[in-house]
Amino acid sequence: MPRVLHTAQALVDVILEIDELPPRGGNANARSETTYAGGAVTTLIAAARTGATAVHGGAHGTGPHGDLIRQALARDGVALSDSPRPDLDTGYCTVLLEPSAERTFLTVYGAERQVTAQSLATLAPEPGDLVCVSGYSLFEPTREPILEFLESLKEGVDVVLDPGDPFATFPREVQNRMLARTTVWTSNADEAKALTGLEALEDTPEAIRRRLSPGAAVVVRDGERGCVVFHHGRGTQIPAFPQKAVDTNGAGDTHTGVLLAERALGADWESAATRANAAAAIAVTRRGTESAPTRVEVDEFLS
């Protein structure tokens, strides 16, 4: 069975619940503090809980943050292909969470930046596997190792790009090098608009598709309006399941993990996206980044 493999950073999320962001130079009191494993972990846990084989190939540290990452992955049977980096801990992200569920991020990097093309190659992707890449990995110093690794992959390995906010800001040559190897694009609406420069969201999937490798698929999420799946020259709107959100942190990563796991298990794009929409709807009703539902929970939700 194809596997879901991830190259991106596994970070620790320190979530501070606040009433509102303070003004610049001001002060705010946190109502609570909770620590979770986040980043690539959220996608991989979602894939594993759906029933796929999931493996993390990014770097991780040897301190308490690295321990937390490994424990979170182990609970759901997610494997690690690389060894911990000695004398350096995994980085962390402070998340300021407002009552509206809006989030603000402050990131401190650590061992997860110490990747090479050779360390990523420990994932040993085979044709049919789905290799996930985050746009945040395309900053220096991880840009060249990621691109070198992707350009060495065997024919038939799917490369899945989650561009994040920064991808549209990268130089055109960096974008082209990444997109030439991308066979699956999955993003939110703002990220799709930023790359294409188009105002009409419905026009973005086809425009993105023209920049990808032949036969690629494009998935664009649009919150409570669901997502669009574009492949084989046509787009399909997949409805959402709107819920009252308490924490949107990790919802997009949960959607991606379930989408790819369903594909690995043999589902068509439309069926996979329907279940991914349902999983994301469940995730936003729970707190934390490890909120992905199990396959049984998605079945019950859809029934």
Side-chain angles (χ1 to χ4, degrees):
M1 182 175 64
R3 301 171 298 163
V4 177
L5 312 177
H6 218 313
T7 62
Q9 300 93 333
L11 294 168
V12 169
D13 282 355
V14 180
I15 300 177
L16 303 178
E17 292 195 61
I18 58 174
D19 291 325
E20 61 181 358
L21 288 176
R24 185 176 183 182
N27 179 65
N29 294 322
R31 289 185 280 107
S32 69
E33 176 187 21
T34 314
T35 302
Y36 300 95
V41 174
T42 305
T43 301
L44 290 165
I45 286 175
R49 290 178 184 175
T50 302
T53 299
V55 185
H56 184 240
H60 48 108
T62 51
H65 290 160
D67 291 343
L68 191 152
I69 293 294
R70 285 184 289 275
Q71 290 164 7
L73 293 174
R75 280 195 296 270
D76 284 282
V78 178
L80 292 156
S81 69
D82 197 10
S83 302
R85 299 295 183 267
D87 305 319
L88 187 61
D89 201 0
T90 290
Y92 63 95
C93 181
T94 299
V95 182
L96 305 180
L97 177 63
E98 299 174 74
S100 65
E102 189 58 62
R103 303 153 297 153
T104 303
F105 303 95
L106 298 169
T107 302
V108 178
Y109 291 128
E112 70 284 346
R113 306 298 279 179
Q114 293 193 349
V115 295
T116 64
Q118 292 71 34
S119 71
L120 293 168
T122 60
L123 283 167
E126 293 293 333
D129 286 344
L130 300 119
V131 177
C132 302
V133 179
S134 167
Y136 289 96
S137 297
L138 295 174
F139 286 108
E140 299 293 359
T142 53
R143 174 185 294 169
E144 190 57 35
I146 286 284
L147 292 174
E148 183 182 340
F149 165 68
L150 296 177
E151 290 166 351
S152 73
L153 295 179
K154 300 175 182 178
E155 189 71 25
V157 174
D158 276 316
V159 175
V160 182
L161 175 62
D162 178 353
D165 290 335
F167 188 77
T169 69
F170 292 141
R172 183 82 175 190
E173 58 268 27
V174 173
Q175 292 180 9
N176 287 343
R177 195 173 167 193
M178 180 67 230
L179 295 175
R181 193 60 186 84
T182 299
T183 56
V184 181
W185 165 287
T186 175
S187 77
N188 64 34
D190 289 342
E191 293 158 357
K193 289 179 179 179
L195 182 71
T196 61
L198 298 172
E199 286 298 321
L201 182 61
E202 62 269 21
D203 295 335
T204 62
E206 186 172 7
I208 294 169
R209 169 64 190 84
R210 288 196 294 267
R211 296 187 62 183
L212 306 183
S213 59
V218 175
V219 179
V220 177
R221 304 183 302 275
D222 191 21
E224 291 187 352
R225 286 170 288 279
C227 68
V228 174
V229 175
F230 189 93
H231 66 116
H232 297 310
R234 63 182 178 85
T236 303
Q237 180 72 38
I238 308 297
F241 304 92
Q243 307 291 308
K244 180 175 175 55
V246 298
D247 184 359
T248 60
N249 196 21
D253 290 333
T254 293
H255 190 281
T256 297
V258 174
L259 178 81
L260 300 182
E262 291 292 344
R263 287 291 293 169
L265 294 167
D268 59 49
W269 279 113
E270 291 75 18
S271 298
T274 297
R275 294 185 66 86
N277 283 357
I282 297 170
V284 301
T285 66
R286 302 171 174 177
R287 298 190 183 278
T289 56
E290 300 171 46
S291 56
T294 65
R295 186 174 195 84
V296 170
E297 288 175 322
V298 172
D299 288 341
E300 293 173 348
F301 181 87
L302 289 173
S303 67

